[in-house]
Amino acid sequence: EAQVTQNPRYLITVTGKKLTVTCSQNMNHEYMSWYRQDPGLGLRQIYYSMNVEVTDKGDVPEGYKVSRKEKRNFPLILESPSPNQTSLYFCASSISRGGNSNQPQHFGDGTRLSIL
Amino acid sequence: GENVEQHPSTLSVQEGDSAVIKCTYSDSASNYFPWYKQELGKRPQLIIDIRSNVGEKKDQRIAVTLNKTAKHFSLHITETQPEDSAVYFCAASETHDAGGTSYGKLTFGQGTILTVHP
């Protein structure tokens, strides 16, 4: 089954304790992205990756890191989490091809992070 | 960068009525406009999308219209049903091409909570 898998689904932790949220897709998609969802603000892009070893900042990258060592995985790293990073996080992926074409993004089930 | 405004923030309709959600965007280079439906506690799921080379697209009870000149696009749901109740997000994206690879940076609207009353 084609899917984007995030882990963990829920996490409560404390300020300053490093954490990683994993994201894996089995569709051989080149493009992967992380969003955070907050009430009244919609989904805001944190980081995205066009392909292996290629990452770039989205609209709200402060306090986050990512890596793309393999095509299927795109972990989100919070080196020193703070309470303002309490949010619902979504990973997404899409195929990427030349020819000036956008393709639909497939979302994971989300990770709810609470930073105390 | 792109800015997407979505209205209304909440919409309440009776079953069988139509629902319309409107979005405006700021970047004239945007050329792809998807709509996502998010049920409570679930992931956003694509329900329909439109590209800038067409003005309207329909899929059963759902339609999307695009006015490139005015930089706005709308979602129309006809004959609404209680299972249409969800949060709906519009988004806009321009395409970036680099080295033969194409990708889009999606900018989302703030979302509309649609409630369909039986």
Side-chain angles (χ1 to χ4, degrees):
Chain A
E1 179 189 351
Q3 59 185 5
V4 179
T5 304
Q6 295 178 226
N7 279 296
R9 292 291 314 281
Y10 305 90
L11 180 62
I12 301 173
T13 188
V14 296
T15 299
K17 186 176 181 182
K18 180 180 178 179
L19 67 91
T20 300
V21 185
T22 63
C23 175
S24 180
Q25 50 92 6
N26 62 0
M27 296 168 279
N28 202 35
H29 285 169
E30 293 86 359
Y31 181 78
M32 297 186 75
S33 180
W34 275 103
Y35 299 90
R36 62 177 287 174
Q37 184 176 14
D38 301 289
L41 297 177
L43 291 104
R44 294 178 293 167
Q45 191 175 51
I46 303 170
Y47 269 94
Y48 62 95
S49 170
M50 288 172 59
N51 214 324
V52 177
E53 300 293 1
V54 182
T55 63
D56 210 346
K57 295 177 180 179
D59 296 316
V60 288
E62 295 78 19
Y64 304 95
K65 285 174 57 177
V66 293
S67 69
R68 189 88 183 276
K69 294 186 172 62
E70 305 164 285
K71 196 172 187 179
R72 64 183 291 128
N73 296 323
F74 190 45
L76 178 70
I77 303 155
L78 285 70
E79 293 271 5
S80 183
S82 62
N84 65 9
Q85 292 177 297
T86 293
S87 187
L88 177 60
Y89 292 84
F90 286 100
C91 180
S93 73
S94 70
I95 198 166
S96 183
R97 59 176 70 133
N100 200 32
S101 170
N102 270 291
Q103 299 299 321
Q105 294 194 16
H106 302 263
F107 284 81
D109 285 329
T111 295
R112 187 167 291 282
L113 286 184
S114 294
I115 317 294
L116 305 177
Chain B
E2 176 67 278
N3 182 51
V4 178
E5 296 288 333
Q6 183 172 345
H7 299 279
S9 56
T10 60
L11 180 59
S12 184
V13 300
Q14 288 296 128
E15 183 176 2
D17 288 350
S18 295
V20 181
I21 303 171
K22 300 181 179 182
C23 289
T24 60
Y25 62 99
S26 62
D27 190 345
S28 57
S30 288
N31 56 13
Y32 175 63
F33 307 92
W35 286 88
Y36 285 83
K37 175 183 180 183
Q38 186 180 28
E39 297 176 351
L40 191 63
K42 301 281 183 67
R43 73 182 84 174
Q45 292 198 296
L46 181 75
I47 54 171
I48 194 167
D49 57 11
I50 191 168
R51 301 181 190 276
S52 58
N53 58 349
V54 298
E56 183 176 358
K57 184 176 178 181
K58 292 182 77 170
D59 183 3
Q60 299 182 337
R61 298 186 295 109
I62 294 173
V64 58
T65 58
L66 171 65
N67 184 325
K68 285 178 60 180
T69 303
K71 290 193 285 214
H72 68 70
F73 56 112
S74 300
L75 178 72
H76 304 253
I77 306 174
T78 58
E79 300 171 34
T80 53
Q81 301 166 3
E83 50 265 40
D84 293 330
S85 296
V87 181
Y88 290 80
F89 291 98
C90 64
S93 173
E94 62 171 305
T95 304
H96 299 270
D97 287 298
T101 297
S102 172
Y103 69 95
K105 180 184 179 302
L106 274 181
T107 300
F108 284 84
Q110 296 84 354
T112 297
I113 302 172
L114 173 64
T115 304
V116 181
H117 299 281

